[in-house]
Amino acid sequence: MILPGQTIGIIGGGQLGRMMGLAAKEAGFRIAVLDPTNDSPCGQIADIEIIAPYDDEQALAELREVSDVITFEFENIDYEGLKQLSEQAYVPQGAELVRITQNRMYEKAAIRAAGAPVAPYITADTYKELVDKIDGLGFPCIVKTAFGGYDGKGQVKLESKEQLEEAQSLFEHSSCIAEAFVPFEKEISVIIQRNPAGQSFCLPIAENIHRHHILHESIVPARVEDSVLQRAEREAVKIASYLGLVGTLAVEMFVLENGSIVINELAPRPHNSGHYSIEACNISQFHQHIRAVCGWPLREPKLWESTIMVNVLGEHVEPLNQHIANYPDWSVHLYGKAEAKEKRKMGHVTIMTNDLEETLQEIEQSGIWED
Ligand code: AMP
């Protein structure tokens, strides 16, 4: 077990690193962070800040030197670098999960191999291959870069063969997959966390509302039937067991009208849709993540009350500041990012409530989150 007083190294200095770090510091751990930018959200709260590119060998050696255990807050780390690091330092999550989740081709294949459902899909290394194979999939479909896409970037929805050329530029960056468009009714996410001894728990399941492909709201518990919640949890457990998870895995899913589930994608780290757990659960995703990577026994999560989390993007910061005094029940989190660029995740607000619909209206009527 890694104990208070020892140092947790975090690769990535964004908000996820910051919230992991804050959770760890409560218990008396020391935090070291590696991030290329000065004054990063996690750098601000860390004991040791290493400012260098993620593949800088000297910086990685320094991180190894000062850390008793190393974790990461995002999946687009160089896999070879992480693999090497895991051979030289204690990285309980390993590198394999990152290899799989940073490439949609590997990710889809792994979900299938775990026995969980994915949308029908094809893979293509070149645009020509896509053109040759597309009849086997049909329309509407979504073409996504295999590598490097997030928040709807690197993907194109195609309604018919005439639009196929719109996907051509995606191949400049990476191979692609094309997957059938899923006519889902709801999007939900299951965050599952597991320690090296194999003990695992899921957080209460969130229903996610996106705007412009970016998470806008998470509503917990998700407004779906109990049988759907149970099915979703079973699928997440299957995937986590197949992957030999240590740490945190967020499993994003589509729920169809008939209650069936299709897995969309995986993230091997704490997830935006789990931020609500800081206030609304007896253990947050960040505390549980730290327990898992430090080899502590995990706590079974319980939800205190129904909750809504709303993201605060760059354009919402000013209006939030203007109206904040009217909402003493809102828990406000801002991540310490200097520049409030449009669409940049700057913070979030968590609201516990005994009336989800009324609170959704209150959020809408606040005027902070105009479209
Ligand atoms: P992703 O980057 O894969 O998470 O996709 C971003 C968003 O696009 C998802 O949250 C969905 O709202 C939508 N989306 C992605 N894939 C599909 C699909 N196969 N069918 C329908 N909507 C999709």
Side-chain angles (χ1 to χ4, degrees), residues 104 119 142 144 149-153 155 179-184 187 210 213 252 254 264-265:
R104 289 187 193 271
I142 301 189
K144 301 179 178 179
Y150 67 96
D151 286 347
K153 296 192 178 75
Q155 50 182 277
E179 62 183 56
F181 182 80
V182 179
F184 59 82
E187 291 187 79
H210 294 87
H213 292 285
E252 295 181 26
F254 300 132
N264 176 29
E265 64 174 1

Side-chain angles (χ1 to χ4, degrees), residues 41-87:
C42 186
Q44 293 167 18
I45 61 102
D47 300 280
I48 302 166
E49 193 180 1
I50 304 169
I51 302 167
Y54 296 120
D55 56 1
D56 182 311
E57 284 190 15
Q58 205 181 330
L60 285 166
E62 193 182 335
L63 185 70
R64 265 190 344 250
E65 187 68 27
V66 298
S67 304
D68 297 290
V69 59
I70 295 176
T71 184
F72 45 83
E73 62 131 33
F74 73 115
E75 62 270 41
N76 290 329
I77 324 167
D78 172 58
Y79 162 69
E80 292 298 335
L82 184 65
K83 185 162 169 263
Q84 201 180 354
L85 189 69
S86 68
E87 284 154 12

Side-chain angles (χ1 to χ4, degrees), residues 8 10 20-21 23-24 29 31 71 193 285-296:
I8 301 174
I10 303 177
M20 268 184 210
F29 289 102
I31 296 299
T71 184
Q193 302 185 292
Q285 64 167 344
F286 301 104
H287 287 92
Q288 193 86 297
H289 181 81
I290 295 297
R291 295 182 78 93
V293 297
C294 290
W296 290 24

Side-chain angles (χ1 to χ4, degrees), residues 40 45 47 50 61 63 70 72-73 87 128 170 206 218 234 238 249 253 262 265 292 311 326 352 366:
S40 65
I45 61 102
D47 300 280
I50 304 169
L63 185 70
I70 295 176
F72 45 83
E73 62 131 33
E87 284 154 12
K128 180 171 181 316
L170 295 179
S218 290
R234 279 201 303 275
K238 264 193 227 167
L249 184 73
M253 308 180 181
V262 170
E265 64 174 1
N311 265 339
N326 300 329
M352 291 165 72
S366 72

Side-chain angles (χ1 to χ4, degrees), residues 195-323:
N195 67 11
Q199 186 191 24
S200 76
F201 288 112
C202 296
L203 278 182
I205 297 176
E207 171 185 340
N208 299 321
I209 315 278
H210 294 87
R211 280 193 187 169
H212 312 295
H213 292 285
I214 300 172
L215 183 66
H216 170 53
E217 283 170 331
S218 290
I219 301 168
V220 193
R223 295 168 300 173
V224 296
E225 307 238 335
D226 283 352
S227 60
V228 174
L229 295 177
Q230 286 156 13
R231 186 171 309 131
E233 196 165 316
R234 279 201 303 275
E235 300 300 352
V237 168
K238 264 193 227 167
I239 295 168
S241 315
Y242 175 80
L243 294 172
L245 172 71
V246 172
T248 302
L249 184 73
V251 186
E252 295 181 26
M253 308 180 181
F254 300 132
V255 181
L256 282 72
E257 202 183 348
N258 65 5
S260 63
I261 279 170
V262 170
I263 312 297
N264 176 29
E265 64 174 1
L266 310 176
R269 50 164 171 80
H271 192 257
N272 197 168
S273 66
H275 293 357
Y276 77 88
S277 58
I278 295 175
E279 284 86 9
C281 292
N282 60 344
I283 180 135
S284 79
Q285 64 167 344
F286 301 104
H287 287 92
Q288 193 86 297
H289 181 81
I290 295 297
R291 295 182 78 93
V293 297
C294 290
W296 290 24
L298 304 186
R299 183 181 310 158
E300 183 172 0
K302 288 198 171 51
L303 184 69
W304 297 128
E305 197 173 19
S306 300
T307 299
I308 301 172
M309 187 247 22
V310 200
N311 265 339
V312 176
L313 305 183
E315 59 271 35
H316 306 135
V317 173
E318 266 304 306
L320 176 67
N321 284 339
Q322 273 171 30
H323 294 290

